[in-house]
């Protein structure tokens, strides 16, 4: 399916892992509507691994586990559609899924048709236990062709964790997004590692085939499958995580327990300015604007300043502090120059802080602002006359 902005929704894996069922999914969908998540754009409700029986039926079709999903997937899909949401499911390019359930290798066409018959709108397609005889690209092409043959509009979300040079072959395989990273965990180290791993992948992030930095852990607070007793994150870190995924045009798939969501989490994941940056239709690549000469690679990783042109003529600018220790002050001497607004233009930038709405006009190209440890500040900048 051609979707020109990153997908938004919820996926069962991060919180529920192997322990997924109809009641949880349905209640999540209901709460996505009630809490206002749907209103800001979250639309896909995705059931991840562990939803099926261990055996196919006599016709070779996948069967939903009747204990976990007593009414079956078509029923669930109808319920989700009736709420104005979309339904997503999971399979894998290997012989079994990562958790050991039947997978779609050599069953691509029958499985794609099963998903289409169930009214599936989104397919996450994993990479565990895949054939070593066929190229990864061909494995994904097979499922893409199988989806096309159904005639149903199904968003194809590839999940090969950025392995085997995914960024080089995935665009030709028909995927609408591709996992460009390993799995996320609910702690700061994981979030920072994932961000840093994207610095040399960003040029592969295309409109219609977005780099997927994995499902969000915002609001998990150390509880759930990928929390693994790692302690979770602070509110500052969850905000930074969400803001980075938005700047980098990653799909925004919530992974927290939406049925038990606290106010701060809701506030972060419904931030209208950040979602607007994520969903920007121009899909320009974000770029690093400090330390441009590459003489300080560590600073790019630890204290990046990132900019992204938006389709309304404004510029999103994000100033990050990923270092340890106390609050730092930041200087960006070349801010205006670095986003293409030289002194000679007679123009400068008016910066609106998205959290406080405070506006600052940049003078002499210099902009200074404090940013707390593991935190970010995000501004929407407008080009104005000096
Ligand atoms: C992993 C994938 C996770 C989740 C899991 C299910 O490969 O990256 O997001 O889908 O498999 O077993």
């Amino acid at each position: 399916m051609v979707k020109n902005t990153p997908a938004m929704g919820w996926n069962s894996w991060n919180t529920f892992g192997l322990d997924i069922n109809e009641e949880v999914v349905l209640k999540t969908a209901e709460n996505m509507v009630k809490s206002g998540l749907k209103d800001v754009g979250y639309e896909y409700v995705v059931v991840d691994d562990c939803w099926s029986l261990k055996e196919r039926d006599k016709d070779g079709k996948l069967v939903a586990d009747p204990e976990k999903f007593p009414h079956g997937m078509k029923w669930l899909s109808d319920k989700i559609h009736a709420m104005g949401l979309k339904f997503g499911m999971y399979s894998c390019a290997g012989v079994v899924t990562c958790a050991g359930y039947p997978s779609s290798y050599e069953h691509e066409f029958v499985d794609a048709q099963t998903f289409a018959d169930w009214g599936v709108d989104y397919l996450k397609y994993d990479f565990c236990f895949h054939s070593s005889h066929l190229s990864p690209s061909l494995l994904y092409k097979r499922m893409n062709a199988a989806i096309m043959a159904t005639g149903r509009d199904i968003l194809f979300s590839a999940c090969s964790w950025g392995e085997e040079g995914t960024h080089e072959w995935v665009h030709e395989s028909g995927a609408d997004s591709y996992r460009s990273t390993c799995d996320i965990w609910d702690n700061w180290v994981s979030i920072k590692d994932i961000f840093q791993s994207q610095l040399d992948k960003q040029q592969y992030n295309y409109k219609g085939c977005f780099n997927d930095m994995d499902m969000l852990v915002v609001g998990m607070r150390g509880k759930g499958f990928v929390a693994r007793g790692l302690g979770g994150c602070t509110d500052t870190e969850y905000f930074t995580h969400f803001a980075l995924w938005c700047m980098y045009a990653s799909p925004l798939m919530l992974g927290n327990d939406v049925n038990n969501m606290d106010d701060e989490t809701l506030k972060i994941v419904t931030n209208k300015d950040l979602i607007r940056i994520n969903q920007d239709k121009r899909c320009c690549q974000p770029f690093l604007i400090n330390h441009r000469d590459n003489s300080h690679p560590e600073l790019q990783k630890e204290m990046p300043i990132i900019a992204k042109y938006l389709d309304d003529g404004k510029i999103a600018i994000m100033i990050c502090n990923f270092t340890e220790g106390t609050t730092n002050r930041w200087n960006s001497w070349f801010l205006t120059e670095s986003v293409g607004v030289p002194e000679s233009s007679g123009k400068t930038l008016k910066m609106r802080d998205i959290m406080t709405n405070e506006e600052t006009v940049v003078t002499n190209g210099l902009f200074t602002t404090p940013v707390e440890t593991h935190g970010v500040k995000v501004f929407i900048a407008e080009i104005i006359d000096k």
Side-chain angles (χ1 to χ4, degrees), residues 11 13-14 18 48-50 90 97-100 124 126-128 159 161 179 181-184 214-215 225:
N11 176 298
W13 185 255
N14 282 3
L18 321 178
D48 208 281
D49 203 351
C50 309
Y90 163 101
T97 71
C98 301
K124 173 173 172 180
D126 217 330
F127 200 46
C128 283
C159 180
W161 325 299
R179 270 280 296 284
T181 71
C182 55
D183 282 17
I184 196 167
D214 205 0
M215 286 99 57
F225 195 71

Side-chain angles (χ1 to χ4, degrees), residues 336 341-349 362 365 382-386:
T336 47
V341 182
E343 282 297 293
S344 58
S345 66
K347 309 272 183 189
T348 187
L349 298 176
V362 178
E382 192 181 341
I383 304 171
I384 57 164
D385 291 333
K386 268 203 234 172

Side-chain angles (χ1 to χ4, degrees), residues 1 108-109 111-113 115-116 120-125 140-157 173-176:
M1 183 180 93
E108 290 90 351
F109 282 69
D111 289 356
Q113 192 56 53
F115 294 133
V120 167
D121 307 295
Y122 175 116
L123 179 66
K124 173 173 172 180
Y125 204 51
Y140 281 88
K141 281 181 186 131
R142 279 184 174 205
M143 186 44 97
N144 177 61
I147 290 172
M148 291 199 300
T150 69
R152 189 172 169 85
D153 201 0
I154 298 178
L155 190 147
F156 186 28
S157 161
S173 73
D176 295 293

